[in-house]
Amino acid sequence: MILAQSEYFYKKALEFDIKTKNQINIADTSLQLAKLVYKRGDYEQALPLLKNAYSRLADLNAYEGMATAKHTLMQLYLKLENKHMALSSADSNSEQHLNLAQH
């Protein structure tokens, strides 16, 4: 019940963020919604939401959010018993983003 209520409010917040065209809020709210769907156990629905959130965060160079999205993606792949994708997700762009963050 609590997760369903939270999901409702995240969806409403996302609608507002989209209307106001606030890109960082869209990215952050998308990530929170994706994490909630993951927590609810709907991994198939969470996967595209997480990928979308990560992509938005990467476009904004929001490294903290990107790290959270990648971590959740790796957990999701493990839940889906796809260890290859979990490892691939961990490796993809990690070094490149770390180098950018250091400059």
Side-chain angles (χ1 to χ4, degrees), residues 10-81:
Y10 276 125
K11 286 180 178 178
K12 286 294 183 188
L14 186 56
E15 288 175 19
F16 177 79
D17 295 338
I18 291 169
K19 285 180 185 175
T20 60
K21 299 179 182 176
N22 186 323
Q23 296 304 311
I24 192 66
N25 284 357
I26 292 170
D28 286 339
T29 304
S30 296
L31 177 58
Q32 295 306 317
L33 180 59
K35 286 172 49 181
L36 184 80
V37 171
Y38 167 80
K39 185 176 182 179
R40 189 181 68 207
D42 191 347
Y43 305 133
E44 296 298 331
Q45 183 184 0
L47 184 59
L49 292 173
L50 280 165
K51 287 181 176 180
N52 179 275
Y54 179 83
S55 177
R56 288 179 178 278
L57 291 159
D59 289 345
L60 298 166
N61 295 322
Y63 299 111
E64 186 177 342
M66 289 167 57
T68 301
K70 273 290 190 184
H71 175 75
T72 308
L73 264 171
M74 287 183 288
Q75 289 179 320
L76 178 111
Y77 284 128
L78 290 174
K79 292 279 187 185
L80 293 173
E81 297 184 5

Side-chain angles (χ1 to χ4, degrees), residues 87-101:
L87 293 172
S88 175
S89 179
D91 289 339
S92 68
N93 297 326
S94 295
E95 189 173 315
Q96 176 187 355
H97 291 300
L98 283 174
N99 289 335
L100 288 173

